[in-house]
Amino acid sequence: MTELLLKYFRTKQQEVQSEKVYDTQCPFCSMQCKMQLIEQSIVSRKKYTTIGVDNPTSEGRICIKGMNAHQHALHQDRIKYPLLKVNGEFVRISWREALAVIKEKFTDIQVADGTNALAVYGSASITNEEAYLLGKFARVALTTRYIDYNGRLCMSAAATAANQTFGMDRGITNALTEVPTTRVIILAGTNIAECQPTIMPYFEKAKENGAYIIAIDPRETATTQIADLHLKVKPGMDAALANGLLKVIIEENLTDEQFIRDRATGFAEVKEYVLSQSLDEIAELTGVPKEQIETAAIKFASEETGMLFTARGVEQQIDGTAAVRNLLNVLIATGKIGKPSCGYGAITGQGNGQGAREHGQKADQLPGYRSIENEEHREYIASVWGINKEDIPRKGVSAFEMFKKIDEGEITGMLLMCSNPVVSNPNANFVKSALKKLKFLVAIDLFVSETAEYADLILPTSSYLEDEGTMTNLEGRVILREASRPCPGEVKHDWEIICEIAKVLGKGQYFPYKKAEDIFNELRIASKGGIADYYGITYDRIRKEKGILWPCPDETHGGTARLFEHSFAHPDGKAKMVVVSNSSQIPKEKPSEEYPLYLTTGRVVSHYLTGVQTRKSAALAARNFESYLEIHPETARKYQIENNRLVTVTSKRGSIVVRSKWSDKIRQDTVFVPFHWADSQNVNMLVGEDLDPFCKMPGFKVSAVKVVPN
Ligand SMILES: Nc1nc2c(c(=O)[nH]1)N[C@H]1C(S)=C(S)[C@@H](COP(=O)(O)OP(=O)(O)OC[C@H]3O[C@@H](n4cnc5c(=O)[nH]c(N)nc54)[C@H](O)[C@@H]3O)O[C@H]1N2
Ligand SMILES: Nc1nc2c(c(=O)[nH]1)N[C@H]1C(S)=C(S)[C@@H](COP(=O)(O)OP(=O)(O)OC[C@H]3O[C@@H](n4cnc5c(=O)[nH]c(N)nc54)[C@H](O)[C@@H]3O)O[C@H]1N2
Ligand code: SF4
Ligand SMILES: [Mo]
């Protein structure tokens, strides 16, 4: 180093007057990368740097979003005080006033419209403690049946499919360390390179070790680039494609007969159905050449080990459950589960997409993945909560269906925690009109989101730097987010807010917690004996062992890395294969003369979900400051769409205006728009309301649209 450089660094170091280090985890995706925020005071300003910290899942890596997460958490737009809407304007009020307003409004609503007139809308970006508490709050403090959460739009198809096929749902059936040694991988409708970037080295290592990678996606993405074979499927056709794979595997005698006999039911019916189908027709339906279907099937079936991964491309369909089940049929038919380097992964989305779907935030669920309609389960949870089992309400409806109930006047008040449904639910115009009908909406958020703007009261909550608690990452590993930064202004933690509301409603005795760990210790008991059994997991153990994979039934149990080694979780121990027809039970929207193109939606690496957080971050916003329409140049020419111009995209439901981006990486019959932007760029104004009959997932990945130049 030159004298000059040394001198420069010495002066720099002298400038740093103090340094604080905050241990935390990234607030964004399911990798939950461990990191530290380093805050340096330098003369007149503060400098922030985020670095990755070693741990079993992300191994010290972080991506561009994690690196810049502090930019939104420290942003001046953070809400720091309760805000009440008075004559259309939000004004600062005290917590005491805010809680009094809630007490009055909630009581009035329940007196006038019945106890079920209040609904709770939760999230999978909150901690396990908070997700558990929100479920308890709805049932015990509000005694309403209506609670559901944003995970309904996210993991519900994969979760339902895994429950139906295997009898239980844990995102990945293996620890990630098994990926590098597998021989063949299917990546179906998952863009891990942009959505879970720090997972990539596991797959890159597999490739270095000679694994054959098959990607299924209507677009070429950073993920399909690592594939040896890319099946550029027509949007919404994964179920039919899986039938093609099954047909070839069966005809080529590549099934694992013994595995099927010993470990599965339903194969004979599946075999009969797929053999009755024509591969030429499947090729036509899916847009994937017959030879490619054959190659994929033969490659996958003939290797000794193999793993299947799906994400929202396959799942966010009105036949998402069936599509996943049919891909699981492929996995079972080839005996590739329950063995080393063989298994299934539904790549979890949100930071706590796994844990938040296990402990009672779902309309039909009680903690530990128990069922709210099962008498024994009700009895057990009532005993943990200290109430009568008759007092636990019955099941409610899914996230989007709650907006239907609002529209119909059945739900008149809502508590919304950590979600932005105006941008994330289908048919956004309908959602907005429903929200306007509410007598009272409380939003608990970091910012005045597009949905919080509709609220009567906004409560300020803490961020990932401030709020401690456990999250269950995409492996099913329960990890502890230590968070030590003090809350800004009068901000409170989500769990504290729940407890305080319960208290003013006269239910304080059921919510006596002093810290997140107290809630976790109750969750452990509530989950005990359930499918998602956390009983053996403690904060101390997580700290020592760097996370524990559930199920973990007692404190001497080491956690479960690989599921289904000896049996599946159905009472007969077998996996259930099922016939899935080539076309959806509810017809999907198809391109027509008026709306000639498929629209599919998804993500870019630099933004997160509805963008409320990442649009605040200067570094991330600079990478993509507006939405866009990915369109094939041939298609663009056909519709007189120049490159880089504003265009109007219209479906039966509405219109948006975005900038065109020519790309020969997308199918010619399909356009793609990311969903991170709001207002006139809110792509959910275009998406329809039909829901998967099993899991109530909307069809975010298939709409019919037209595109015209502006
Ligand atoms: N950068 C970033 N990362 C994120 C998020 C984010 O918003 N931004 N969100 C997090 C969350 S909550 C989630 S759920 C995950 C989502 O992670 P992914 O599911 O991987 O993300 P998507 O972009 O929604 O969809 C994945 C791919 O599906 C393809 N696709 C579209 N239609 C179809 C189809 O019909 N069939 C098939 N086979 N593929 C199709 C799209 O082209 C896209 O490349 O990411 C998590 N990570
Ligand atoms: N068209 C289309 N639509 C989609 C999808 C798609 O692929 N295409 N994907 C769907 C998927 S997979 C998902 S997961 C949903 C997500 O949809 P949403 O849940 O609506 O999205 P977020 O942007 O995560 O909203 C989180 C809100 O909570 C706030 N927040 C952040 N952290 C906290 C916290 O700790 N506590 C509280 N109280 N608030 C907090 C943020 O500021 C933000 O306003 O969108 C779905 N919608
Ligand atoms: S966005 Fe996901 S991959 Fe990136 S740092 Fe955060 S948790 Fe890790
Ligand atoms: Mo998600």
Side-chain angles (χ1 to χ4, degrees):
M1 204 180 280
T2 64
E3 251 329 282
L4 196 67
L5 265 180
L6 273 175
K7 202 169 155 197
Y8 170 80
F9 281 120
R10 249 181 247 126
T11 343
K12 276 271 161 212
Q13 256 167 7
Q14 279 159 8
E15 281 173 2
V16 176
Q17 290 158 335
S18 69
E19 186 175 280
K20 283 189 193 139
V21 177
Y22 301 105
D23 287 312
T24 186
Q25 269 160 232
C26 176
F28 300 126
C29 86
S30 53
M31 286 298 285
Q32 281 303 289
C33 302
K34 287 271 181 196
M35 56 200 209
Q36 285 182 330
L37 177 70
I38 302 168
E39 181 185 88
Q40 295 178 319
S41 299
I42 304 172
V43 196
S44 58
R45 65 187 179 95
K46 286 206 164 48
K47 184 181 172 221
Y48 295 94
T49 317
T50 299
I51 58 165
V53 173
D54 191 34
N55 71 96
T57 306
S58 61
E59 300 175 322
R61 296 180 285 274
I62 52 171
C63 82
I64 177 89
K65 282 187 301 306
M67 249 178 256
N68 292 294
H70 60 275
Q71 292 190 342
H72 81 262
L74 304 175
H75 198 278
Q76 58 181 20
D77 288 357
R78 275 283 297 275
I79 321 165
K80 299 188 186 69
Y81 312 95
L83 298 172
L84 182 72
K85 199 181 262 167
V86 181
N87 299 327
E89 299 282 324
F90 284 112
V91 294
R92 176 178 167 179
I93 58 168
S94 69
W95 275 101
R96 200 178 41 78
E97 288 165 315
L99 291 166
V101 172
I102 293 179
K103 181 183 175 177
E104 184 196 323
K105 297 287 182 184
F106 278 11
T107 312
D108 287 355
I109 283 172
Q110 289 193 311
V111 168
D113 306 328
T115 47
N116 291 317
L118 281 181
V120 175
Y121 192 112
S123 172
S125 291
I126 53 181
T127 62
N128 286 319
E129 290 77 357
E130 288 156 352
Y132 165 78
L133 210 59
L134 202 60
K136 179 174 176 183
F137 172 82
R139 277 65 176 244
V140 177
L142 300 182
T143 60
T144 180
R145 71 194 308 164
Y146 292 126
I147 172 166
D148 209 55
Y149 78 124
N150 67 1
R152 185 66 71 167
L153 317 172
C154 180
M155 299 298 301
S156 66
T160 303
N163 278 325
Q164 290 179 354
T165 295
F166 303 139
M168 83 178 257
D169 147 51
R170 190 187 83 185
I172 305 187
T173 59
N174 312 55
L176 281 174
T177 45
E178 295 187 33
V179 174
T181 46
T182 194
R183 298 293 307 155
V184 54
I185 296 171
I186 296 181
L187 295 171
T190 168
N191 186 4
I192 41 177
E194 295 203 62
C195 295
Q196 289 80 14
T198 58
I199 207 176
M200 285 307 277
Y202 292 100
F203 291 85
E204 283 154 2
K205 272 182 217 141
K207 199 167 163 78
E208 277 165 30
N209 293 339
Y212 187 85
I213 302 184
I214 301 159
I216 309 176
D217 196 305
R219 307 183 301 139
E220 285 166 45
T221 64
T223 307
T224 65
Q225 269 171 25
I226 68 159
D228 298 278
L229 177 63
H230 175 196
L231 312 181
K232 226 170 180 175
V233 69
K234 237 182 240 179
M237 288 301 168
D238 297 276
L241 183 59
N243 279 330
L245 297 174
L246 282 163
K247 182 179 165 74
V248 175
I249 291 167
I250 294 169
E251 283 179 349
E252 296 290 323
N253 288 321
L254 292 170
T255 50
D256 184 336
E257 291 298 320
Q258 189 173 348
F259 187 88
I260 294 169
R261 227 183 5 257
D262 296 347
R263 310 245 358 227
T265 58
F267 177 69
E269 292 80 1
V270 171
K271 180 174 176 179
E272 191 187 334
Y273 175 76
V274 297
L275 291 183
S276 74
Q277 300 299 302
S278 129
L279 198 58
D280 288 311
E281 268 170 37
I282 291 177
E284 175 70 29
L285 267 177
T286 58
V288 179
K290 187 172 149 180
E291 301 68 38
Q292 290 187 4
I293 301 178
E294 285 165 347
T295 309
I298 292 168
K299 277 282 180 192
F300 190 75
S302 27
E303 291 289 353
E304 193 58 28
T305 57
M307 295 179 95
L308 162 72
F309 294 87
T310 68
R312 307 309 86 77
V314 173
E315 302 159 16
Q316 286 174 330
Q317 309 278 357
I318 56 174
D319 64 346
T321 307
V324 174
R325 287 201 76 184
N326 218 15
L327 284 164
L328 295 181
N329 282 341
V330 175
L331 198 69
I332 296 163
T334 54
K336 289 191 165 58
I337 183 150
K339 305 174 191 166
S341 294
C342 288
Y344 169 58
I347 306 276
T348 297
Q350 296 170 84
N352 198 23
Q354 180 70 53
R357 72 178 189 261
E358 300 163 358
H359 299 296
Q361 207 185 170
K362 278 170 83 174
D364 56 354
Q365 194 195 56
L366 290 173
Y369 234 131
R370 289 185 166 86
S371 162
I372 205 163
E373 295 296 339
N374 177 307
E375 293 310 312
E376 266 173 53
H377 294 182
R378 293 169 66 84
E379 179 92 52
Y380 178 68
I381 295 299
S383 75
V384 177
W385 288 348
I387 60 171
N388 294 322
K389 91 170 180 184
E390 292 72 33
D391 295 335
I392 299 181
R394 295 279 160 177
K395 72 174 177 194
V397 297
S398 74
F400 182 74
E401 289 170 311
M402 292 206 286
F403 293 107
K404 289 279 175 198
K405 298 253 175 232
I406 297 173
D407 186 54
E408 290 155 9
E410 205 178 314
I411 293 173
T412 57
M414 180 177 264
L415 179 124
L416 170 74
M417 176 174 279
C418 192
S419 185
N420 187 15
V422 160
V423 185
S424 56
N425 269 251
N427 200 2
N429 286 323
F430 167 77
V431 173
K432 288 183 206 167
S433 77
L435 284 175
K436 281 190 199 145
K437 292 188 178 175
L438 282 174
K439 290 181 183 169
F440 187 61
L441 172 65
V442 192
I444 307 172
D445 206 299
L446 307 169
F447 298 103
V448 183
S449 71
E450 287 76 17
T451 309
E453 277 170 20
Y454 287 80
D456 301 284
L457 179 66
I458 310 178
L459 301 177
T461 194
S462 54
S463 77
Y464 72 105
L465 292 172
E466 300 124 20
D467 190 18
E468 182 187 61
T470 60
M471 311 284 272
T472 306
N473 75 13
L474 84 177
E475 290 185 289
R477 195 184 297 275
V478 184
I479 52 181
L480 178 61
R481 185 176 73 200
E482 313 269 4
S484 50
R485 206 167 193 274
C487 288
E490 292 179 9
V491 162
K492 290 180 192 279
H493 303 306
D494 286 313
W495 64 265
E496 283 181 304
I497 299 173
I498 300 171
C499 293
E500 293 197 7
I501 299 177
K503 198 165 156 198
V504 293
L505 296 177
K507 298 290 174 77
Q509 80 260 35
Y510 301 105
F511 299 83
Y513 321 99
K514 296 274 179 296
K515 53 184 191 306
E517 190 173 0
D518 298 343
I519 307 167
F520 189 74
N521 284 332
E522 185 178 301
L523 181 161
R524 292 174 52 209
I525 297 168
S527 76
K528 189 174 182 206
I531 288 176
D533 193 333
Y534 281 36
Y535 184 63
I537 305 174
T538 63
Y539 273 30
D540 279 348
R541 275 194 73 185
I542 301 178
R543 285 193 182 104
K544 279 196 204 103
E545 297 169 41
K546 297 192 168 177
I548 297 167
L549 290 146
W550 72 259
C552 179
D554 62 68
E555 285 190 49
T556 59
H557 191 285
T560 311
R562 189 182 308 126
L563 300 174
F564 314 136
E565 286 188 282
H566 307 292
S567 75
F568 291 95
H570 286 302
D572 65 358
K574 300 210 169 167
K576 285 191 174 41
M577 299 181 80
V578 70
V579 174
V580 175
S581 109
N582 286 332
S583 50
S584 167
Q585 251 182 357
I586 303 170
K588 286 184 191 166
E589 207 165 67
K590 281 205 183 79
S592 61
E593 217 167 292
E594 193 177 359
Y595 301 107
L597 294 167
Y598 284 108
L599 163 74
T600 192
T601 64
R603 295 153 164 84
V604 298
V605 68
S606 52
H607 282 284
Y608 191 68
L609 300 179
T610 68
V612 177
Q613 297 165 89
T614 48
R615 282 184 271 127
K616 297 274 182 332
S617 156
L620 297 174
R623 297 183 148 231
N624 291 84
F625 64 92
E626 61 176 356
S627 187
Y628 64 87
L629 171 93
E630 185 177 330
I631 185 167
H632 194 282
E634 288 295 315
T635 317
R637 276 184 214 106
K638 189 166 165 196
Y639 298 104
Q640 287 90 46
I641 305 294
E642 288 176 46
N643 192 16
N644 209 17
R645 291 294 160 86
L646 288 180
V647 296
T648 299
V649 191
T650 306
S651 79
K652 276 187 196 158
R653 273 81 42 190
S655 292
I656 58 167
V657 178
V658 288
R659 198 169 293 280
S660 61
K661 187 167 161 184
W662 285 19
S663 163
D664 57 10
K665 296 187 164 159
I666 189 163
R667 288 178 58 90
Q668 293 194 16
D669 56 7
T670 304
V671 292
F672 170 86
V673 179
F675 87 106
H676 313 295
W677 286 270
D679 307 319
S680 60
Q681 299 202 323
N682 178 350
V683 74
N684 276 324
M685 290 201 286
L686 310 185
V687 173
E689 306 185 343
D690 286 341
L691 304 175
D692 178 304
F694 299 103
C695 65
K696 310 291 179 181
M697 170 69 87
F700 290 123
K701 296 297 195 254
V702 178
S703 313
V705 294
K706 67 177 166 198
V707 184
V708 294
N710 266 25

